[in-house]
Amino acid sequence: MLDESLLDAPERLTEADRRGLLRGAAEAGARVRTAARHAAEAGVGNLKPDGRPRAVLIAGPGAAATHAADLLGTLAGAGSPVTRLAPTGVAPAAGALRWELPGWAGSVDLLLIATPDGAEPGLSLLAEQAYRRGCTVVAVAPAGSPLNDAVSASRGLFIPMATAPYDHDEPLAGGAPGVLWALLTPLLALLDRTGLLEAPPEAVGKVADRLDRVAERCGPAIVTYSNPAKTLASELADSLPVVWTEGTSAGPAGRRFAAALAELSGTPAVVADLPEALAAHSALLAGRLAAGADPDDFFRDRVEEPAALHARVVLLRDRPIGGLTAAPNARDLALGHDTPISELEPEAGGELETLAELIAITDFAAVYLALASGA
């Protein structure tokens, strides 16, 4: 059950936030600026690449590497395929994970390693394997970590991750707000230099500014009725979020939102892109999870039995391709099955800015839902 009174009690929110999730979300803009400075100090801006790599491979543990690969692949398009190397192992622990390069990887490919830990032996071994294959290696991880030495020994480029003093109190969760931007920002700068995508310093600066503005709108001191993140968290209480995305940038934001809901608050969610989502989730909205299926069982014990879980559509939109939009049909489908719908659309701006806004608002919403539900 969601404690909605907690959402408008900043002091209680702070007490409940033992993992520092709100602080991480609020400081995302600062992380971007620090990460951009670390990339510049590491010499990313002075690189003179021979041309685009044939393929970009991304390795790292958990949500951070997964979302970074998704975002970079979306922004880069088809110019150079971006592929995440999934780890193998018996447990999601630093010492148990292993990564392998595909058999075709070689001197014309680029390996990116992104990790908020840097102590994974498997990543150090991967850097050595890439060096033997002739792959160029770039890593973003905490300074002084074992991966730092391994990448330096492999003649790769190491970029210190943007961290804060409190990060050392406990391990950083890959899905925690702020971690994504600390790892992603240097990689954006690097791929801008290689010509895979456009992320010049001025564009990265605008991303940091947009993240700051979202933090001002969505902070714990802003009341629910004027706070889009708190409003969304309240709307998702006791619901199954059905996340529909439209527009190139909205896809990665929606997939990250669904993952953050599961990791931070334990809320299951399904996600799909429009217009395919209309067919993929039509049966879901018409079934027992639809709000109109059984709005309230008269015989339900209202003290001991929780209310039935019903779907709620969350529509994330950002500049539909070619100006064509399936949003009206999406609204008709949802409302036709008595399913409520929440919508988020960023303010105008560059692709990186609008993507950052969608990610930031949904990150805040996932955090508020986690705190108010006692997760």
Side-chain angles (χ1 to χ4, degrees):
M1 297 293 292
L2 187 79
D3 182 3
E4 293 195 35
S5 66
L6 184 68
L7 294 177
D8 286 328
E11 297 82 4
R12 291 176 58 203
L13 277 173
T14 302
E15 292 175 2
D17 188 17
R18 299 180 182 86
R19 292 177 285 176
L21 298 175
L22 281 174
R23 179 172 53 189
E27 295 178 355
R31 294 263 189 175
V32 168
R33 294 186 184 92
T34 303
R37 187 177 70 250
H38 287 181
E41 292 171 352
V44 170
N46 299 323
L47 295 176
K48 296 180 173 59
D50 296 331
R52 290 186 175 192
R54 177 182 61 179
V56 177
L57 306 172
I58 299 183
T66 300
H67 300 319
D70 191 9
L71 289 163
L72 293 175
T74 299
L75 294 169
S80 292
V82 177
T83 303
R84 178 183 178 242
L85 300 181
T88 58
V90 296
L97 296 177
R98 292 292 182 270
W99 289 262
E100 290 289 336
L101 288 175
W104 48 261
S107 59
V108 293
D109 303 310
L110 172 63
L111 172 65
L112 305 178
I113 300 176
T115 171
D117 187 342
E120 302 92 346
L123 289 177
S124 296
L125 294 173
L126 180 67
E128 297 172 5
Q129 182 186 13
Y131 173 65
R132 292 194 299 270
R133 295 270 200 95
C135 292
T136 301
V137 181
V138 179
V140 182
S145 60
L147 183 61
N148 189 339
D149 297 332
V151 172
S152 298
S154 302
R155 299 183 182 179
L157 175 63
F158 182 85
I159 305 172
M161 177 183 167
T163 59
Y166 55 79
D167 287 342
H168 304 292
D169 296 340
E170 60 182 67
L172 288 170
V179 175
L180 172 67
W181 294 109
L183 296 174
L184 180 66
T185 303
L187 302 181
L188 287 171
L190 175 73
L191 296 188
D192 175 72
R193 294 298 299 167
T194 62
L196 263 68
L197 50 80
E198 293 186 8
E202 55 270 21
V204 174
K206 290 180 180 179
V207 166
D209 293 340
R210 182 70 67 100
L211 291 171
D212 286 344
R213 290 200 296 273
V214 171
E216 292 173 359
R217 293 168 54 204
C218 298
I222 307 301
V223 295
T224 298
Y225 69 83
S226 59
N227 186 321
K230 287 184 179 179
T231 299
L232 181 57
S234 178
E235 291 172 344
L236 292 179
D238 303 318
S239 297
L240 171 70
V242 180
V243 183
W244 291 346
T245 67
E246 184 172 62
T248 303
S249 298
R255 289 185 285 274
R256 173 172 169 80
F257 184 36
L261 287 171
E263 181 176 351
L264 300 182
S265 68
T267 301
V270 294
V271 59
D273 299 329
L274 290 176
E276 288 88 349
L278 302 181
H281 293 160
S282 178
L284 185 154
L285 297 186
R288 60 184 179 82
L289 292 174
D294 183 11
D296 193 8
D297 181 358
F298 180 80
F299 298 101
R300 177 174 59 86
D301 186 329
R302 285 155 177 76
V303 176
E304 297 188 3
E305 294 183 35
L309 183 69
H310 292 312
R312 185 182 187 98
V313 170
V314 180
L315 179 57
L316 305 182
R317 301 180 65 213
D318 183 25
R319 293 174 301 186
I321 298 173
L324 299 175
T325 176
N329 288 335
R331 298 186 190 101
D332 289 344
L333 177 63
L335 298 178
H337 291 294
D338 295 326
T339 299
I341 185 169
S342 304
E343 296 190 40
L344 284 180
E345 189 168 352
E347 298 176 3
E351 186 175 24
L352 280 174
E353 291 177 76
T354 56
L355 175 61
E357 180 175 336
L358 287 176
I359 289 175
I361 293 176
T362 51
D363 271 357
F364 267 107
V367 170
Y368 285 128
L369 187 59
L371 297 180
S373 60

